[in-house]
């Protein structure tokens, strides 16, 4: 596959464009879709999703993206991984779901084969309000650096979720 453009300059330019879109008051759904597309492009992810949590900690999908050849509707979320992220209140990176005792038996991942997966919490007012979720086949898989990049995007995700709540009110 072609190398992905993830130089610091590209990442900063994309983050600045997202921040400007939020400040201009652009449609949150479009900004969320761009955010997820950016993260999928900049990491080795093949699919990703931005979710917010309802009162019962059920993930509600805000936006999804996938690399060419996959439909963003096919993005499968692991509730087990999201649950671990919620319990630990931090980003959770799993290089291979088959090598992880908790995830190896997860129903949502049973048919996917080995995946590398990442769930990064989105914080607002000191609590987790959502997550940025990424996955890819474990070879070549996501790198640990994907955690840093996805974490940088979560502050934009928090701003988007806040804008959606304000708009809904």
């Amino acid at each position: 596959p072609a190398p992905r453009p993830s130089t610091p300059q590209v990442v900063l330019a994309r983050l600045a464009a997202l921040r400007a879109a939020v400040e201009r008051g652009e449609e949150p759904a479009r900004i969320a879709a761009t955010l997820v597309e950016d993260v999928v492009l900049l990491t080795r992810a093949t699919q990703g999703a931005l979710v917010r949590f309802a009162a019962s900690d059920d993930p509600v999908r805000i936006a999804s993206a996938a690399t060419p050849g996959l439909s963003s509707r096919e993005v499968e979320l692991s509730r087990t991984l999201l649950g671990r992220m919620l319990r630990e209140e931090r980003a959770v990176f799993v290089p291979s779901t088959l090598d992880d005792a908790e995830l190896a038996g997860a129903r949502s991942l049973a048919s996917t084969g080995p995946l590398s997966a990442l769930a990064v919490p989105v914080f607002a007012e000191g609590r987790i309000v959502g997550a940025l979720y990424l996955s890819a086949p474990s070879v070549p898989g996501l790198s640990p650096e994907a955690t840093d990049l996805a974490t940088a995007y979560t502050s934009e995700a928090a701003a988007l979720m806040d804008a959606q709540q304000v708009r809904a009110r």
Side-chain angles (χ1 to χ4, degrees), residues 98-114:
L98 291 183
D99 296 335
D100 183 279
E102 185 180 14
L103 294 175
R107 268 185 287 148
S108 62
L109 300 173
S111 65
T112 62

Side-chain angles (χ1 to χ4, degrees), residues 20-28 31 167:
V22 170
E23 290 172 356
R24 282 192 307 272
E26 289 187 18
E27 184 66 35
I31 298 169
R167 188 170 274 197

Side-chain angles (χ1 to χ4, degrees), residues 49-94:
L50 178 63
V51 300
R52 69 177 169 78
F53 293 112
S56 62
D57 289 338
D58 284 335
V60 176
R61 193 179 312 248
I62 294 173
S64 299
T67 56
L70 291 174
S71 166
S72 61
R73 286 187 217 81
E74 296 172 0
V75 174
E76 186 70 40
L77 300 174
S78 168
R79 290 177 187 263
T80 306
L81 181 62
L82 290 170
R84 183 187 301 175
M85 181 209 69
L86 286 167
R87 281 191 315 275
E88 296 179 9
E89 297 184 341
R90 65 173 182 83
V92 176
F93 170 65
V94 178

